[in-house]
Amino acid sequence: HDFGGGMSVGVTGSYHDFDMQAEMWQVGATATYEVVENLLVSVAGKYEEVEAEGAQEVDNWEARLRIQRNF
């Protein structure tokens, strides 16, 4: 979603079922801000959970920072 003023936010989500042997779901978001013309700063985060039959549940977190200058 574009909030104007150089700020935008995107949200994603997914779910996967692997033949009843494992399940995985993910949710993530990215926020981008144009600090000045042609200079973007983005922050992204994602959470993932994996459950497999006969195995321990696994939780993963991921975060990224991106600074992009366009010439």
Side-chain angles (χ1 to χ4, degrees):
H1 180 68
D2 186 355
F3 290 98
M7 178 75 158
S8 65
V9 175
V11 178
T12 62
S14 65
Y15 172 81
H16 305 279
D17 186 348
F18 300 98
D19 295 327
M20 303 300 286
Q21 295 178 15
E23 294 180 334
M24 177 177 70
W25 65 273
Q26 302 173 330
V27 63
T30 302
T32 303
Y33 180 67
E34 187 171 17
V35 179
V36 294
E37 186 175 353
N38 297 320
L39 178 62
L40 300 173
V41 176
S42 299
V43 177
K46 180 177 82 170
Y47 172 75
E48 174 183 83
E49 180 181 290
V50 179
E51 296 179 24
E53 190 173 314
Q56 183 176 351
E57 180 180 299
V58 177
D59 298 310
N60 295 310
W61 288 92
E62 181 179 314
R64 295 179 185 205
L65 172 66
R66 178 178 177 165
I67 301 171
Q68 177 179 325
R69 173 77 170 146
N70 298 319
F71 297 93

